[in-house]
Amino acid sequence: MKQLLLYLSVFLLASSCYDDLGNYEYTELNNVTVDSISTQWYEKYSYADTLKIDPVLHLALGGSEEHLKFEWKLMPLHAQYNKDSIPKEVQKAGYIIGKEKKLSYPLTEKPGDYAGFFYVKDTLTGISYKTDFYVRLRTAVSEGWMILCEEAGKARMDMISYTSENEKLVSHNIWKELDMELGKPYKLVYNYNRTYTSRLAYCEAGTFNLDPETLQPSEENNMLWQFSENPDKVEIVGGATMMNSDPKREIIVTSEGELYWRKYDDLMHGIQFTFPVNRLEKSTEYFKVSRYIGYRPHYDWNSATCSVILYDETNCRFLALESEGKQNSWGNTEYEAKDYPNELSFTGGTADYEAVTGKDLVHMEGNREGYVFAVLKTPESENYDIYGMITHPKYKVERTHYMRLLPANSDKITHFAFHPLFRTLYYATEQGDVWQFNLSTPEKKAEKILSFPNEHISVMKFQCPVAYVQYADWEKAREYWLYIASYDTTKEESVSGIFRMYDFPQQTSAPVLKQEINQLGKKSLFFEKINKMYKPLG
């Protein structure tokens, strides 16, 4: 009986509801569906690309879109709310990237995977419709050219990255959102190693090791923390990581001419720089070391005991940073780094000059063949001389070249660059001209090959690739290109920078312009090539 009464109650309740429903009027909702948003990943480059999405809306009952409101959000795929940091609503608001139907958002987020959401709200009904999408941000700053510029008296970093031989990305002002003051830019130093100090930016505020993923400086990466005495500021103007010395070592030079070095193994274990070593071993007299360091810039087992060539600006002489070989119990030679530079003793060779020159060093660089070329200027004159030497195993240095540079210009020389293969020197002048001097025919004067009226040449150099990377053929060919950075003095500073690349098919041939990139930052246009890097495991 109880079961029958239960069924009867359910029937009466259902009938009552049916009668109630009949008393209402129904309005069909103008549902919104979204089209033209990809279901695949949007592959973009941070600091370089703009996320552009133009959705197509379909209203079930038609009509205008005037009563619709829009909102775009982009958040890390694994974002979590941290209750101890900021209010939840504030955190959510930080993910909003647009409030218009059509999205055009310059991407400045860190590289990674992101979830995107497109909300359409019907203000008449209060109902919101959501469409999901996904964005994968890669970094355009892990490989390519760093361009350190000056804009409004402050440091700015641009970036040129190549995805293939003919495709490139140009990232402007990747430090735009930086929450620290760097002041004026001075120099970039790239040490070609795969550990801590590899990308150094020297600015008015000090020297900072740039984050390997984003190239952003930070107080945590201020190089002063790498010194045991913790100075107020570190100004690093030159450096090298010597993979072809035994033991391997990292070398830096400060703006005051102080020389520091530490073993590469110590670097990997976080051991700091201790004290300057710019004096001879048994002397208490410190001298000023040039920022130019002469060495074979590639790791080569056959040359693993080559000298590092330095220049003493106080006493105008070449020096060598070497190691001392000792036989171990197995009869093999082991090398212990000498703490201080030594007076350079040449083994002879085809040229004839002493290590003490009495001249001012204005440029020095090494190439992959083991040659080190230097340009020296006689004080209180306009005479320039070219010195050449080659580094051999077991710390032997042989003299190979000595000649007078015969310039054909009257204006001031500002930059030098030696071709990595041809025996040719290129130099730039204050007036924006580039000259070529052939070391094979030193009796002939230099020849003007390029001219940039109204431009100031900031940097001119060749770029040797590192040895631990497998390069494509088109990348290898660019080792022999001449790279010139300048700025147009007649243009607005934010777009006045120019970066040009030239090839020389033959030693005496005219330069061929391969690429030109405009509208970069102004003035102090220092640049360095970041080569492909391996991420450390763990």
Side-chain angles (χ1 to χ4, degrees):
M1 185 65 179
K2 291 181 180 178
Q3 189 175 13
L4 178 60
L5 290 175
L6 177 61
Y7 290 154
L8 181 59
S9 299
V10 173
F11 175 76
L12 293 174
L13 178 62
S15 300
S16 174
C17 291
Y18 182 81
D19 292 338
D20 289 341
L21 289 174
N23 295 329
Y24 288 92
E25 293 183 1
Y26 294 96
T27 302
E28 186 177 355
L29 295 177
N30 198 5
N31 292 326
V32 179
T33 57
V34 181
D35 201 359
S36 297
I37 294 183
S38 177
T39 58
Q40 304 296 320
W41 286 86
Y42 287 92
E43 300 272 358
K44 298 292 181 181
Y45 282 87
S46 186
Y47 304 105
D49 283 344
T50 298
L51 181 60
K52 297 182 179 180
I53 304 178
D54 188 4
V56 177
L57 306 184
H58 301 283
L59 280 67
L61 302 180
S64 71
E65 301 176 0
E66 293 180 357
H67 60 288
L68 301 179
K69 285 188 176 181
F70 310 99
E71 185 176 87
W72 298 84
K73 285 186 178 180
L74 188 68
M75 62 180 63
L77 197 57
H78 302 292
Q80 295 181 348
Y81 169 61
N82 183 356
K83 64 180 179 180
D84 297 324
S85 58
I86 57 177
K88 191 172 183 179
E89 293 305 316
V90 175
Q91 181 174 350
K92 286 183 176 181
Y95 296 134
I96 298 173
I97 61 173
K99 292 191 174 182
E100 302 292 332
K101 174 186 173 183
K102 185 176 179 180
L103 178 67
S104 180
Y105 175 68
L107 292 158
T108 57
E109 284 74 11
K110 292 182 179 180
D113 292 343
Y114 290 79
F117 307 96
F118 176 49
Y119 297 93
V120 180
K121 183 176 182 179
D122 189 333
T123 60
L124 300 179
T125 63
I127 297 176
S128 292
Y129 304 87
K130 179 174 69 74
T131 303
D132 300 344
F133 59 95
Y134 297 92
V135 178
R136 176 161 290 148
L137 284 182
R138 294 181 288 176
T139 175
V141 298
S142 61
E143 178 189 354
W145 289 99
M146 297 185 293
I147 314 290
L148 180 61
C149 320
E150 178 179 335
E151 182 177 344
K154 296 183 179 181
R156 161 180 160 176
M157 180 73 79
D158 292 353
M159 186 75 190
I160 303 170
S161 306
Y162 286 87
T163 55
S164 66
E165 181 176 5
N166 299 312
E167 295 180 342
K168 63 179 179 295
L169 292 169
V170 182
S171 308
H172 296 281
N173 200 1
I174 65 175
W175 290 350
K176 185 177 181 181
E177 304 299 326
L178 194 65
D179 59 355
M180 61 183 297
E181 292 293 334
L182 296 175
K184 291 184 178 181
Y186 294 134
K187 188 173 177 59
L188 287 173
V189 178
Y190 183 39
N191 267 10
Y192 295 97
N193 67 58
R194 288 175 280 175
T195 53
Y196 185 78
T197 50
S198 56
R199 303 166 172 89
L200 305 181
Y202 165 38
C203 301
E204 191 175 2
T207 305
F208 300 87
N209 177 44
L210 305 180
D211 184 276
E213 292 291 339
T214 64
L215 289 188
Q216 300 291 306
S218 66
E219 283 297 342
E220 291 79 7
N221 287 334
N222 193 325
M223 282 301 295
L224 64 86
W225 306 118
Q226 293 295 304
F227 288 77
S228 59
E229 296 184 356
N230 288 345
D232 293 334
K233 182 168 64 172
V234 175
E235 301 175 341
I236 298 176
V237 297
T241 299
M242 295 306 305
M243 300 298 290
N244 58 343
S245 64
D246 193 358
K248 307 173 185 66
R249 46 186 152 189
E250 181 191 34
I251 304 168
I252 61 169
V253 179
T254 70
S255 61
E256 296 179 350
E258 291 185 331
L259 174 71
Y260 293 84
W261 73 266
R262 57 184 170 183
K263 292 182 181 179
Y264 186 76
D265 291 340
D266 292 344
L267 165 64
M268 299 192 65
H269 290 92
I271 295 178
Q272 299 170 311
F273 293 108
T274 53
F275 50 83
V277 296
N278 43 296
R279 64 181 177 87
L280 299 183
E281 187 171 6
K282 297 181 179 180
S283 172
T284 58
E285 178 187 355
Y286 283 85
F287 45 77
K288 186 176 182 180
V289 175
S290 170
R291 66 184 177 92
Y292 297 106
I293 301 174
Y295 63 99
R296 186 191 298 259
H298 295 275
Y299 186 78
D300 184 352
W301 287 105
N302 295 323
S303 61
T305 58
C306 288
S307 295
V308 180
I309 299 176
L310 307 170
Y311 196 76
D312 172 3
E313 292 187 346
T314 304
N315 301 291
C316 299
R317 59 183 174 179
F318 288 107
L319 300 174
L321 192 59
E322 303 173 348
S323 297
E324 184 176 2
K326 296 180 180 179
Q327 283 194 338
N328 58 27
S329 57
W330 293 279
N332 299 322
T333 301
E334 292 183 348
Y335 289 90
E336 181 66 28
K338 292 184 178 181
D339 289 336
Y340 300 93
N342 302 313
E343 292 181 312
L344 185 57
S345 177
F346 293 113
T347 60
T350 55
D352 185 18
Y353 57 85
E354 300 297 327
V356 178
T357 68
K359 301 172 184 177
D360 298 328
L361 179 72
V362 294
H363 184 76
M364 181 165 62
E365 63 179 288
N367 66 17
R368 62 168 43 191
E369 296 178 284
Y371 284 95
V372 173
F373 289 102
V375 181
L376 294 100
K377 184 176 182 293
T378 303
E380 300 180 358
S381 77
E382 295 301 320
N383 294 330
Y384 292 88
D385 294 291
I386 300 172
Y387 288 67
M389 56 206 93
I390 190 168
T391 56
H392 293 295
K394 298 183 180 180
Y395 301 103
K396 294 181 179 180
V397 181
E398 181 181 355
R399 297 172 294 195
T400 59
H401 298 78
Y402 179 61
M403 66 192 70
R404 175 64 52 86
L405 170 63
L406 298 180
N409 57 288
S410 58
D411 51 318
K412 182 180 178 181
I413 299 176
T414 55
H415 303 285
F416 297 90
F418 286 93
H419 195 283
L421 180 63
F422 303 143
R423 296 293 174 261
T424 308
L425 170 66
Y426 301 90
Y427 64 87
T429 67
E430 203 169 39
Q431 298 299 319
D433 299 328
V434 178
W435 300 73
Q436 175 181 275
F437 180 73
N438 191 340
L439 274 62
S440 301
T441 55
E443 70 281 358
K444 295 182 180 180
K445 285 189 174 184
E447 175 187 2
K448 184 162 68 174
I449 57 172
L450 294 169
S451 184
F452 307 108
N454 301 321
E455 292 185 26
H456 174 85
I457 297 176
S458 302
V459 187
M460 181 178 72
K461 66 194 301 183
F462 290 90
Q463 183 65 37
C464 292
V466 296
Y468 51 76
V469 172
Q470 185 66 39
Y471 290 95
D473 290 340
W474 64 268
E475 292 176 298
K476 295 177 183 177
R478 296 185 180 188
E479 175 184 355
Y480 306 108
W481 287 11
L482 179 65
Y483 299 87
I484 301 174
S486 64
Y487 66 92
D488 191 329
T489 58
T490 66
K491 291 185 177 181
E492 181 184 346
E493 63 178 24
S494 62
V495 293
S496 62
I498 308 168
F499 190 41
R500 297 181 177 94
M501 310 175 190
Y502 290 90
D503 190 17
F504 298 87
Q506 301 295 329
Q507 182 171 3
T508 57
S509 62
V512 178
L513 179 63
K514 305 298 290 187
Q515 292 189 25
E516 179 175 321
I517 301 170
N518 298 286
Q519 296 188 336
L520 298 168
K522 176 223 173 186
K523 201 172 181 181
S524 303
L525 207 64
F526 306 105
F527 63 90
E528 274 292 345
K529 174 71 166 62
I530 304 178
N531 293 279
K532 294 177 179 175
M533 307 291 286
Y534 292 113
K535 274 190 177 181
L537 298 176

